[in-house]
Amino acid sequence: MAAPQRRTDIGPPHYKDFLPPVIQKNYGDWAHHEILTGGTMVHVANSGDKIWTVRVASPRLLATDTIREIADIAEKYCGGYLRFTTRNNVEFLVSEEKNIQPLIAELKAKKYLVGGLGDSLAGYHITNIVHTQGWIHCHSACTDASGLVKVIMDDLAEYFNEKTTPGKVRLAVACCTNMCGAVHCSDIAIVAIHRRVPRIEHENIKNMCEVPSTIACCPTGAISPDPAKKSIKINNDKCMYCGNCYSVCPALPISDPEDDGVAIVVGGKVGSLRSDPKFSKLVVPYIPNNPPRWPEVTDAIRKILETYNAGARKHERVGEWIERIGWEKFFAITGFPFTFQHIDDFTIARETFRTSAAFKW
């Protein structure tokens, strides 16, 4: 007689325990999938079995009441099976076709935005915005990430379920330059920035911080010991305002309500289809925080998106479109000023320089 399998609370349970029965039955044996509308698709197995997906947007930071409501809807229409995508969309996994329209009707009645799916045949839609914690949680945040996502999605909601784009457009927001929000590899992204050197609270350094660790944490070597004060000092010319030192030493606050703001970068992507993966590049070096609606930021994002829509070829990502027309023309048609901040002069930037002498007009 086989010994019973020991169950523990160490580590996560196996993901297969949470798959719908139709997926478990046909695991690894699917024929194709099809985008039906901007918010629904169907996967078809070689056996003929089908499972439908209904996608809605979510604000990522959810109240427990909202989570319970989403769970109740899933329980009612799809046996409790749903998933959250890496960009914070909620996908209801429906095994019976008759439940699709009643599910969509209830979601719309409860003001959920259905959409975010697309392909070359149905047309591409923007998907939900991946973002970091922001003021609500992160200690080094320069802006309110969830607030920015709210106002951008409010402004671009039509592109989530109605209007389409020439190719995939992935948006992201990071609340500081540590960038845990995938802004370095998204088509259009916002990265929040500090613009002042951390303030040194010398009296607190000796009680709250370990000086060797604080010195070692600086990526540019801007921090050195200050024996006279039994503290540290910062070389202003080397500091790049990343705030990494504040994570190690709370006596080095860097947040500044007057000077913190956001920058906009574009052209990043992860996929290797048609061209290699790309890092995002700077377009707007600084926009001051202007909560609660950030009108200057939403206007700039819409200008980039609509200029891309007007000029890009089918399937072209934002970075591919810009490289085809040239950065000179991109700045000309968008109207964004080209400033000294756009010049890549980082110490080890040789790999990112555009080494060709050719200009595109």
Side-chain angles (χ1 to χ4, degrees):
M1 179 179 177
Q5 184 176 0
R6 180 171 176 261
R7 298 183 68 88
T8 76
D9 58 356
I10 299 173
H14 199 280
Y15 69 91
K16 281 192 174 181
D17 295 340
F18 302 94
L19 295 178
V22 66
I23 293 182
Q24 293 196 34
K25 176 185 174 185
N26 298 280
Y27 194 83
D29 191 28
W30 297 90
H32 66 277
H33 73 275
E34 179 183 352
I35 305 292
L36 303 175
T37 68
T40 60
M41 66 177 172
V42 61
H43 283 80
V44 182
N46 287 316
S47 66
D49 292 340
K50 298 180 179 180
I51 188 164
W52 291 262
T53 299
V54 177
R55 175 182 285 189
V56 300
S58 89
R60 180 179 181 271
L61 300 178
L62 300 172
T64 52
D65 287 345
T66 305
I67 296 172
R68 290 182 182 278
E69 182 177 73
I70 291 172
D72 288 342
I73 294 172
E75 194 71 36
K76 183 176 179 180
Y77 294 104
C78 44
Y81 293 102
L82 59 82
R83 77 183 195 103
F84 286 81
T85 72
T86 55
R87 288 184 178 266
N88 314 311
N89 303 282
V90 183
E91 292 187 348
F92 295 87
L93 305 176
V94 186
S95 298
E96 297 184 42
E97 188 173 7
K98 66 180 182 181
N99 289 336
I100 296 174
Q101 292 308 318
L103 168 60
I104 294 173
E106 181 162 341
L107 288 169
K108 289 183 176 179
K110 293 182 181 295
K111 307 300 182 183
Y112 288 96
L113 194 62
V114 179
L117 290 169
D119 60 12
S120 58
L121 297 177
Y124 294 98
H125 294 276
I126 66 169
T127 186
N128 220 42
I129 302 176
V130 63
H131 70 94
T132 58
Q133 299 289 349
W135 287 336
I136 197 169
H137 179 74
C138 183
H139 63 280
S140 62
C142 322
T143 194
D144 180 21
S146 52
L148 270 170
V149 168
K150 164 66 176 170
V151 299
I152 294 169
M153 283 299 287
D154 282 352
D155 188 56
L156 301 180
E158 59 194 342
Y159 285 98
F160 189 79
N161 56 8
E162 296 174 7
K163 292 185 177 181
T164 59
T165 58
K168 288 182 179 179
V169 177
R170 298 291 184 254
L171 294 94
V173 174
C175 62
C176 72
T177 52
N178 289 304
M179 297 196 306
C180 51
V183 299
H184 63 291
C185 57
S186 294
D187 295 276
I188 305 173
I190 296 168
V191 54
I193 54 172
H194 299 295
R195 300 201 305 161
R196 292 288 179 266
V197 174
R199 302 177 294 281
I200 304 175
E201 298 174 349
H202 292 289
E203 290 301 314
N204 292 329
I205 291 282
K206 57 189 176 183
N207 297 321
M208 301 175 66
C209 308
E210 187 181 63
V211 171
S213 298
T214 304
I215 294 172
C217 79
C218 180
T220 59
I223 302 175
S224 58
D226 187 348
K229 295 180 180 179
K230 295 184 178 180
S231 182
I232 57 98
K233 54 188 176 183
I234 298 175
N235 184 329
N236 292 7
D237 293 334
K238 286 186 174 182
C239 179
M240 65 178 186
Y241 323 120
C242 68
N244 196 47
C245 56
Y246 179 58
S247 298
V248 176
C249 175
L252 294 173
I254 191 173
S255 295
D256 188 324
E258 298 298 324
D259 286 303
D260 287 351
V262 302
I264 298 177
V265 295
V266 304
K269 74 184 189 82
V270 175
S272 57
L273 187 63
R274 293 177 305 279
S275 62
D276 292 337
K278 303 177 188 297
F279 278 122
S280 303
K281 294 185 178 180
L282 182 68
V283 169
V284 180
Y286 176 70
I287 300 175
N289 282 318
N290 188 11
R293 300 299 300 181
W294 281 271
E296 300 84 359
V297 176
T298 55
D299 288 348
I301 296 294
R302 178 170 280 274
K303 179 185 289 186
I304 296 168
L305 182 63
E306 293 187 343
T307 306
Y308 158 76
N309 285 347
R313 295 171 180 169
K314 191 172 184 179
H315 307 310
E316 251 183 349
R317 300 288 291 266
V318 171
E320 295 168 336
W321 162 65
I322 295 173
E323 288 189 351
R324 176 172 59 83
I325 66 172
W327 282 94
E328 296 85 356
K329 186 173 181 180
F330 170 80
F331 280 101
I333 62 179
T334 56
F336 296 124
F338 187 88
T339 69
F340 72 93
Q341 288 103 332
H342 292 96
I343 299 172
D344 193 351
D345 61 351
F346 186 55
T347 307
I348 52 175
R350 183 175 65 86
E351 296 298 325
T352 60
F353 284 150
R354 189 175 75 179
T355 54
S356 169
F359 285 85
K360 296 181 181 179
W361 301 103

